[in-house]
Amino acid sequence: MVEISVILPVYNSEHYLKDCVYSILNQTFSNFELIIIDDCSNDKSISIIESFSDKRIRFFKKESNTGYIESLSWGIKEAKGTYIARMDADDLCNPFRFEKQLDFLKSNPDVVLCGTDAEIIGANFDFGYPEEYEK
């Protein structure tokens, strides 16, 4: 039985998807399944996903574009792991992410949710927040 089900909704993510999937597959903790749900992408996302042959990947193609939340719900229904990890198609995972989060959750059984820090990489990005939020 897998310990972690990683849910990855995808929609037109060709620019980031390959690096995203690599960052998941190259985790130091390997007992997971990667559930990828494509929401009718019309770019190269599907061919990128199909280029991976890792047995931990479970790939689902939706018949109609029903949105992000529906994709997440689909992934949760398909999940076989004890724990669920979320991932967005334009993000990267630190190679120790699953290992550290799983250790934390097992050491703290009263905790039901944990997250991580984030670092913006690549081009300059402006969130457009009003000045009072930047203090």
Side-chain angles (χ1 to χ4, degrees):
M1 180 175 182
V2 296
E3 202 148 10
I4 301 172
S5 294
V6 183
I7 300 174
L8 175 63
V10 172
Y11 179 71
N12 290 345
S13 304
E14 71 180 17
H15 298 293
Y16 311 102
L17 189 55
K18 185 176 267 190
D19 290 336
C20 172
V21 173
Y22 274 128
S23 78
I24 296 168
L25 296 178
N26 289 309
Q27 291 290 299
T28 56
F29 180 84
S30 62
N31 185 16
F32 65 85
E33 64 178 348
L34 173 55
I35 301 169
I36 303 174
I37 305 97
D38 182 77
D39 198 17
C40 296
S41 293
N42 54 26
D43 65 356
K44 295 178 184 174
S45 293
I46 291 174
S47 63
I48 291 168
I49 295 164
E50 290 176 337
S51 73
F52 289 93
S53 61
D54 194 294
K55 65 182 180 181
R56 296 172 292 181
I57 296 175
R58 297 176 57 211
F59 179 36
F60 300 93
K61 297 180 214 175
K62 290 164 58 177
E63 292 185 17
S64 61
N65 180 284
T66 56
Y68 185 76
I69 299 301
E70 168 61 31
S71 295
L72 289 174
S73 295
W74 184 320
I76 290 169
K77 289 176 190 170
E78 288 295 329
K80 296 178 181 175
T82 305
Y83 299 91
I84 293 178
R86 274 276 303 106
M87 188 69 180
D88 289 322
D90 61 348
D91 291 340
L92 301 175
C93 279
N94 178 291
F96 301 99
R97 175 189 170 192
F98 298 162
E99 178 184 347
K100 288 183 176 188
Q101 288 180 326
L102 189 59
D103 287 347
F104 176 81
L105 288 168
K106 287 183 173 183
S107 298
N108 298 278
D110 55 328
V111 174
V112 296
L113 177 72
C114 68
T116 62
D117 195 5
E119 178 181 347
I120 298 173
I121 57 176
N124 291 334
F125 190 80
D126 178 9
F127 286 101
Y129 292 148
E131 285 183 28
E132 63 265 19
Y133 292 115
E134 295 179 1
K135 295 178 181 171

